[in-house]
Amino acid sequence: MKMDKNLRDSSLYEEKFRFKEGQSNIRFCSILLFVVMAVFALYAYWTMNFGGVTVSGNSMRNTLYSGEQLLMKYVDGEDAKRGDVIVVYVGNYKEFNDGTEYLIKRLIAVEGDRVKCTDGQVSIMYAGTKEWVELYEPYAHYTNKSAYDFAEYMVDKGEIFFLGDNRNNSTDSRYQEPYGSRLDDLYKVEDIIGIVPTWAIKYQNILKNILF
């Protein structure tokens, strides 16, 4: 018995169509699975490496203003570099008996550095060197630069030295009056929990609309 040619061709066409349709469905499911996995991977990376921080107070003016919401990158304290805007946990220090747990400041000096300020000019003798270098600080804000001086500090092992950009209105590593409650040492590198990247400050309004 002979099969009608049209019937045979139709059967082959339907089989070929079903095969291609099956391949298309597999391809679609594979792409969808890849997208879902990529989204979860990105979400996991983001939540493990970034967090939000809200600025409270004016100690970082004119770089940051009270109430601003920023993106912070979690880092090991030793990864923070001089000049970084850092977030420091201070909840264990007795001078913050008002409930303050975190400070946002600028890292100025690290282990082995010496730092001082004369006539409002901050200078550093970097670890392993013997010459004082005047810091170029376009971010620093003074209400009275001539009144802003502090004596020389030696940043010992495991310590950091940070300042607020609003120099005449900042509780920071200068533990002279009226911050004279801790005369023995500086804050520790392990107190750093994160940095606020420059791009997070520059594009904070865009990031705020997306993330907060």
Side-chain angles (χ1 to χ4, degrees):
M1 180 178 180
K2 293 184 178 179
M3 181 180 294
D4 184 85
K5 183 177 185 300
N6 293 332
L7 180 62
R8 184 178 65 244
D9 291 345
S10 175
S11 177
L12 290 173
Y13 173 79
E14 290 178 2
E15 183 177 347
K16 186 175 182 181
F17 176 79
R18 285 195 298 271
F19 177 74
K20 288 187 174 181
E21 185 179 33
Q23 282 187 320
S24 179
N25 289 337
I26 292 173
R27 189 179 298 111
F28 173 78
C29 290
S30 298
I31 294 173
L32 180 62
L33 180 61
F34 173 80
V35 170
V36 170
M37 291 178 65
V39 169
F40 274 104
L42 180 61
Y43 176 78
Y45 171 81
W46 191 266
T47 55
M48 289 177 61
N49 289 277
F50 293 92
V53 59
T54 300
V55 179
S56 178
N58 296 311
S59 68
M60 285 296 289
R61 294 183 67 178
N62 290 323
T63 304
L64 305 174
Y65 293 85
S66 187
E68 290 183 335
Q69 294 176 301
L70 301 164
L71 194 66
M72 175 189 71
K73 187 178 189 303
Y74 297 112
V75 298
D76 186 290
E78 295 182 352
D79 293 330
K81 304 293 189 299
R82 302 178 188 89
D84 283 345
V85 174
I86 60 174
V87 179
V88 185
Y89 179 70
V90 295
N92 295 327
Y93 292 96
K94 61 184 179 181
E95 62 264 37
F96 295 100
N97 54 14
D98 60 352
T100 299
E101 291 188 301
Y102 300 96
L103 298 179
I104 181 167
K105 305 291 180 181
R106 190 176 298 274
L107 183 59
I108 300 296
V110 297
E111 180 179 318
D113 292 343
R114 295 177 180 271
V115 59
K116 65 180 181 180
C117 184
T118 305
D119 297 328
Q121 174 62 60
V122 177
S123 299
I124 290 186
M125 183 184 294
Y126 294 107
T129 68
K130 295 183 178 181
E131 294 184 0
W132 288 98
V133 177
E134 294 184 350
L135 285 188
Y136 173 64
E137 299 186 288
Y139 47 77
H141 172 73
Y142 297 89
T143 54
N144 186 356
K145 189 170 185 177
S146 63
Y148 185 83
D149 287 348
F150 56 81
E152 180 180 333
Y153 289 85
M154 172 64 192
V155 187
D156 289 325
K157 184 176 181 180
E159 294 181 342
I160 54 175
F161 187 93
F162 55 79
L163 298 172
D165 286 359
N166 189 3
R167 293 295 162 79
N168 296 103
N169 184 23
S170 175
T171 301
D172 45 42
S173 290
R174 298 165 297 150
Y175 46 71
Q176 52 196 129
E177 295 294 334
Y179 316 121
S181 60
R182 45 192 305 275
L183 300 175
D184 54 344
D185 59 3
L186 295 170
Y187 295 96
K188 308 299 182 184
V189 67
E190 62 194 37
D191 297 329
I192 299 174
I193 66 166
I195 64 171
V196 179
T198 301
W199 54 263
I201 298 173
K202 183 176 181 179
Y203 300 110
Q204 60 177 286
N205 291 330
I206 298 174
L207 293 169
K208 179 180 178 181
N209 292 331
I210 297 174
L211 301 172
F212 298 101

